[in-house]
Amino acid sequence: MKVITRFAPSPTGYLHVGGARTALFSYLYARHHGGQFELRIEDTDTERSTQESVDAIFAGMDWLGLEYDSEVNYQSKNLERYQEKIEQLLANGQAYYCDCSKEILDEMREQQMKNGEKPRYDGRSRELGLTKTDQTVVRFKTPLTGEVKFKDHVRGEITVANSELDDLVIARADGMPTYNFTVVIDDADMGITHVIRGDDHINNTPRQINIYQALGMPVPEFAHVPMILGDDGARLSKRHGAVSVMQYKDDGYLPEAVLNYLVRLGWSHGDQELFNKEEMIDLFDLSGVNKAPSAFNTTKLNWINQQYLQQADKSRLVTLLQDRLKTLNISVDHDFDLSAVVKMFIDRAQTVNELADMGLFLLQPLSGYDEKAEKKAFKESAIEPLKAVIAKCEAINDWAGADLHQMIADVVTELEVGFGKVGMPVRLALSGQAQGPANDVIMQVLGKDESIVRLKNALQYIEAKLN
Ligand code: GLU
């Protein structure tokens, strides 16, 4: 049997982390088994579905590299097919028209709650033989006895008595079919063998299985993946930070890192943390999916991203850095070698955005000096060392070939002071910060002219401060 899976998002927002993980698991399962992975846009809710959301789903899947095999299926283009199947159920007496108004349903509900019963449609129109009006919905005749049994790949065996299920609406009064119906028709027509989805749908599954059986369509296998929690244990939501996949792109994460993070969110393979796509495909199986919900952990995501950043091709990082600087509206001098920034900070940055932030002082004139460091380092005693370093810098002709580390060491020796007395004010003058890369490395990247300008600016600043 050829495995066919699908991702079936409703286009009512961006592609969020939970959706992307479901898509990834479906994708990996199909690829692992040499099968097919399909995308279906569930856009029958015309009020909530938007083209913008459809585009956001495409963008997210594209960025993560979750390629699907056939043309995208749109439910909104399949209405005739649903209608045909609804007619079939009606003709076979497996569905019926119901004209219960909202008031009647509310009353029914209230009464049941009062009696301590589970609120449900009581089937009062089931045998009335009503005909269609613009007020009638179509309800599916759920079997009155028996049970639905299925073996969920994550949850194990699940059994639900039909007496627990009521006659669900499969078409609204305006004729629009409902989710539980359309999903069955499409999964059957698309030949889906494994439905992998969030466990918020687990209560729908027995209802859907009854519909498959009524239509004589093959029932797929199911895997319901536990939800994702925020680090505080509540269901992951916007207030936990970025939940849109594309936000991670904007925040400077690499797609392969996000993919790696997502696969570990609810799936494990021994203690292994890092998986490239080939390994994921090779190793993924539903048996490795955890039953318990998984918590989103930004620290871990950052760690994974850092691992991928360090392995990434340097020219790719330069391009990403350029994009980030463009977003920040920072123009870079043509001669400036951004790979120097990458080299300087790649061991410390966890995201491309951090890389840009760390390198910003090299690309823009300094906006000021770190306050605490300035109090310590920009004193009378800094004047002589700065003047000495400036004089030595001015005397250098071949800047690229110069040993700038030795140059500073010479000043230290000549002035007979500790290294910090020279190093600290120079670093602050060059970078505005108390900590960072070595002074000679900074000067090499800044070039002779800019280094001297910054040293002179600092000198002026100190002298003005002392007067
Ligand atoms: N369209 C449904 C949703 O976005 C998913 C349906 C399914 O996977 O069966 O929640």
Side-chain angles (χ1 to χ4, degrees):
M1 177 186 71
K2 180 172 177 185
V3 166
I4 307 179
T5 65
R6 51 47 165 198
F7 175 48
S10 307
T12 55
Y14 39 70
L15 177 61
H16 56 84
V17 169
R21 192 211 31 187
T22 303
L24 175 61
F25 284 8
S26 303
Y27 170 87
L28 292 176
Y29 192 76
R31 292 285 175 268
H32 177 86
H33 291 279
Q36 245 165 273
F37 171 65
E38 307 293 354
L39 177 63
R40 180 172 75 233
I41 302 291
E42 304 215 315
D43 55 351
T44 51
D45 184 343
T46 46
E47 264 165 43
R48 295 180 60 224
S49 302
T50 64
Q51 185 57 42
E52 206 186 337
S53 299
V54 173
D55 293 340
I57 291 163
F58 291 158
M61 297 203 37
D62 187 49
W63 185 62
L64 290 173
L66 298 176
E67 67 283 352
Y68 34 90
D69 292 307
S70 312
E71 259 182 59
V72 184
N73 296 271
Y74 291 89
Q75 287 195 322
S76 58
K77 293 185 184 158
N78 207 21
L79 297 177
E80 262 176 50
R81 174 68 175 159
Y82 308 134
Q83 193 52 40
E84 179 194 325
K85 287 293 165 189
I86 287 169
E87 302 285 353
Q88 181 186 328
L89 289 177
L90 284 165
N92 292 344
Q94 293 164 304
Y96 60 93
Y97 289 108
C98 166
D99 64 356
C100 291
S101 63
K102 189 178 171 302
E103 289 70 33
I104 290 178
L105 293 173
D106 286 346
E107 205 184 289
M108 191 186 301
R109 196 185 165 80
E110 247 167 65
Q111 196 56 46
Q112 286 164 335
M113 305 257 269
K114 233 186 253 165
N115 299 346
E117 295 163 17
K118 184 169 155 186
R120 61 211 296 281
Y121 179 67
D122 65 5
R124 67 180 63 180
S125 304
R126 193 172 163 118
E127 304 303 339
L128 295 184
L130 298 177
T131 49
K132 181 177 168 50
T133 71
D134 59 3
Q135 306 287 323
T136 50
V137 300
V138 179
R139 286 186 184 272
F140 174 70
K141 268 191 188 170
T142 298
L144 296 172
T145 56
E147 56 190 24
V148 181
K149 225 185 217 166
F150 67 100
K151 210 168 151 279
D152 189 273
H153 279 269
V154 178
R155 297 288 202 92
E157 191 154 291
I158 293 178
T159 308
V160 178
N162 280 325
S163 58
E164 290 287 311
L165 309 169
D166 59 5
D167 289 349
L168 69 147
V169 173
I170 56 174
R172 292 183 227 286
D174 64 3
M176 227 23 177
T178 60
Y179 158 71
N180 274 308
F181 187 75
T182 56
V183 78
V184 167
I185 305 305
D186 287 328
D187 283 339
D189 285 350
M190 289 163 71
I192 303 301
T193 59
H194 294 74
V195 170
I196 300 168
R197 61 184 168 201
D199 68 359
D200 48 334
H201 285 292
I202 201 155
N203 292 333
N204 289 323
T205 304
R207 299 171 182 281
Q208 292 172 13
I209 291 176
N210 276 329
I211 299 175
Y212 281 107
Q213 284 167 343
L215 289 167
M217 290 172 147
V219 182
E221 295 186 38
F222 294 92
H224 290 91
V225 180
M227 61 178 158
I228 302 172
L229 307 176
D231 31 23
D232 57 356
R235 195 191 184 100
L236 189 69
S237 70
K238 265 190 201 153
R239 72 193 161 80
H240 293 106
V243 284
S244 151
V245 163
M246 293 311 270
Q247 185 63 46
Y248 287 97
K249 176 175 191 269
D250 295 345
D251 289 350
Y253 292 86
L254 298 178
E256 62 269 38
V258 173
L259 212 57
N260 191 145
Y261 180 72
L262 287 176
V263 81
R264 286 286 294 108
L265 209 49
W267 175 80
S268 54
H269 179 77
D271 294 334
Q272 190 172 337
E273 286 295 355
L274 298 176
F275 300 86
N276 63 33
K277 204 167 167 192
E278 285 67 42
E279 279 176 297
M280 287 182 206
I281 291 172
D282 195 32
L283 298 171
F284 185 82
D285 216 344
L286 291 170
S287 57
V289 176
N290 306 335
K291 284 188 178 55
S294 15
F296 199 87
N297 179 339
T298 307
T299 309
K300 184 164 160 191
L301 170 63
N302 288 347
W303 178 80
I304 292 180
N305 202 56
Q306 189 169 26
Q307 308 310 306
Y308 282 91
L309 278 180
Q310 287 175 7
Q311 289 168 21
D313 194 51
K314 297 294 170 281
S315 63
R316 176 183 174 205
L317 294 180
V318 166
T319 307
L320 290 171
L321 191 56
Q322 268 163 347
D323 293 346
R324 174 63 186 163
L325 293 169
K326 212 178 270 167
T327 308
L328 293 173
N329 259 325
I330 290 165
S331 55
V332 181
D333 205 313
H334 276 315
D335 307 332
F336 191 91
D337 179 15
L338 279 176
S339 67
V341 174
V342 172
K343 220 169 108 194
M344 209 182 270
F345 297 111
I346 194 61
D347 289 336
R348 284 199 282 149
Q350 292 192 307
T351 62
V352 173
N353 293 13
E354 269 185 23
L355 200 58
D357 290 347
M358 288 173 178
L360 226 47
F361 77 91
L362 297 163
L363 302 164
Q364 288 185 308
L366 295 185
S367 57
Y369 303 105
D370 179 82
E371 234 176 276
K372 252 169 81 188
E374 184 203 309
K375 281 204 183 94
K376 259 173 73 184
F378 280 180
K379 296 186 292 207
E380 176 99 53
S381 59
I383 293 179
E384 212 186 342
L386 284 174
K387 280 186 175 163
V389 173
I390 292 168
K392 283 212 187 308
C393 286
E394 282 175 334
I396 295 173
N397 288 323
D398 174 18
W399 189 261
D403 186 343
L404 299 172
H405 180 76
Q406 188 56 48
M407 180 271 285
I408 291 174
D410 290 346
V411 173
V412 169
T413 315
E414 283 161 27
L415 298 181
E416 295 181 358
V417 293
F419 202 90
K421 284 274 179 292
V422 180
M424 275 226 307
V426 167
R427 173 189 308 284
L428 199 55
L430 296 171
S431 70
Q433 299 153 23
Q435 253 138 32
N439 281 330
D440 56 303
V441 176
I442 299 176
M443 285 197 279
Q444 206 52 264
V445 175
L446 288 176
K448 178 176 172 178
D449 294 347
E450 181 62 17
S451 296
I452 293 173
V453 165
R454 290 188 185 200
L455 291 164
K456 285 185 171 171
N457 284 346
L459 196 58
Q460 245 178 31
Y461 180 84
I462 298 169
E463 281 169 345
K465 199 164 95 162
L466 292 176
N467 281 329

